[in-house]
Structures are given as structure tokens and as C-alpha cells.
Amino acid sequence: MYNFIIDHFLEYDGAITEPVTVEEAKLYCRITDNVEDNLIEDLIIQSREAIEKVTNLSLVPKIATVWFTNLSGMFQFQYGPMQEFTELLNAEGDEIDSDNYRLVGGQYPSLARPMFEQLKATYSCGFPEGEVPTELKIAILDQVSYGYENRGLEVDGMGICEKAWRVCQRWTRTSPII
């Protein structure tokens, strides 16, 4: 028996405040004019999304809906940090009462039970506004700088700069780098 994700959906939880401002990114990239502010704003979004994808973190608040199988127990929820577990539904779409399921852990919990097929969970995740760790904010800035300096070029590999990649490896829960 094994656990796996069947499907997932992420949506933003309200208005988005990026962890890095245009002014911070311009200062980091040593840009003194306002001509490319829209580009910098787009690069901030792209950089945050790239770092979220590599780490399976939500740097901004989101609502996650995940369809999965938990036949082995201890299903690890993909996106974190978890803020609030909203609901758990069985295969028929009936809500499972909180007395009948068990979450183990804090910000990155696993579902110990029930051990069913075709479950659907909904939860809020992401760092609260202003609480993204400094190391991840700097990784966003490094990625913005990389994207700004290399715009228009074909980039080999993953398209994420090595410095940001190393930070991401420290923040992913499956990384061999600690």
C-alpha cells in the first residue's frame, strides 16, 4: 500500500502582498530609475513562484485543495507551512469529523488516519504577511537580479540561479542538503 497525490489546486487567499517590494529589488539590483518598474514587479512574481515550486512552500497565503490516497497513513501535505486545516472529505464527498482524523506535526503535518483512498483536504497555507524568512527573501532578490541580468537569453538548466537554488535546497523537506 502507498500514498500519492491524485490532483491539487492552489488559489490565492485574498490580495497578494509580495515578500519583496519593487523598491527593495531595485536597490538590490542597483537600478536607479523607474523605467522598468513593471518588469521588476513581474520578475518578483516570477521569482517567488519559482522558489515556491522548488521548495513546495507557499511564501504568500494560499488555499490548498488536495485529492489524495492515504492507504499507508502519514500522508505528507505538499504545501506549507500549514496555517489552518479546513476540511477533510471522503470519497463520497462527506466531511470527516475532526474526531475521526489525526494530524501529526505542526507547520508541516502528516495525516496519520484515516487510511482511505480518494480523500480531499482543504487547508490554508503560507507565511503570514511580513514573516517570510530573510533567507528566502534574499533568494527572491537573487533570482530577480539573475532574471534581470539574463533577460532575453536562453538559460540552460532550471532557470533558477545557483545561489537561490542552494537556499531552496535548505528549505525543501526532501533535500539532501541541510
Side-chain angles (χ1 to χ4, degrees):
M1 296 211 224
Y2 49 91
N3 299 336
F4 60 91
I5 293 175
I6 298 167
D7 199 0
H8 72 280
F9 181 74
L10 290 169
E11 61 184 311
Y12 291 106
D13 189 10
I16 303 166
T17 301
E18 293 295 336
V20 170
T21 66
V22 171
E23 292 75 27
E24 289 171 317
K26 286 172 53 177
L27 180 64
Y28 196 82
C29 295
R30 295 188 167 102
I31 300 169
T32 56
D33 59 46
N34 297 330
V35 174
E36 297 179 306
D37 282 4
N38 290 337
L39 172 63
I40 298 300
E41 189 173 339
D42 289 343
L43 287 171
I44 290 169
I45 294 167
Q46 182 275 330
S47 298
R48 177 197 33 92
E49 289 174 347
I51 289 167
E52 286 177 329
K53 187 164 189 75
V54 171
T55 61
N56 274 335
L57 293 173
S58 294
L59 301 181
V60 297
K62 294 181 186 154
I63 303 295
T65 303
V66 182
W67 294 263
F68 62 100
T69 292
N70 188 34
L71 289 176
S72 297
M74 299 308 287
F75 174 82
Q76 293 182 341
F77 289 99
Q78 189 171 8
Y79 304 103
M82 185 181 287
Q83 297 301 323
E84 181 183 5
F85 194 78
T86 310
E87 73 177 355
L88 182 64
L89 306 177
N90 63 20
E92 291 78 36
D94 299 324
E95 187 166 358
I96 299 172
D97 188 78
S98 61
D99 292 336
N100 295 320
Y101 66 80
R102 181 169 177 242
L103 290 174
V104 177
Q107 291 183 336
Y108 306 97
S110 296
L111 182 68
R113 60 175 170 77
M115 294 189 292
F116 293 163
E117 289 184 292
Q118 301 176 2
L119 293 166
K120 177 183 174 186
T122 304
Y123 61 95
S124 60
C125 57
F127 291 96
E129 187 176 328
E131 294 186 27
V132 172
T134 301
E135 185 176 42
L136 291 170
K137 285 179 69 172
I138 292 171
I140 292 170
L141 292 168
D142 286 330
Q143 186 62 27
V144 167
S145 177
Y146 178 81
Y148 183 76
E149 292 299 322
N150 293 291
R151 63 192 181 276
L153 298 177
E154 281 196 39
V155 181
D156 291 335
M158 298 177 45
I160 191 166
C161 73
E162 188 174 338
K163 188 175 175 196
W165 176 254
R166 286 185 181 149
V167 170
C168 290
Q169 291 303 295
R170 286 193 293 273
W171 280 88
T172 183
R173 294 177 313 239
T174 59
S175 173
I177 300 172
I178 304 286

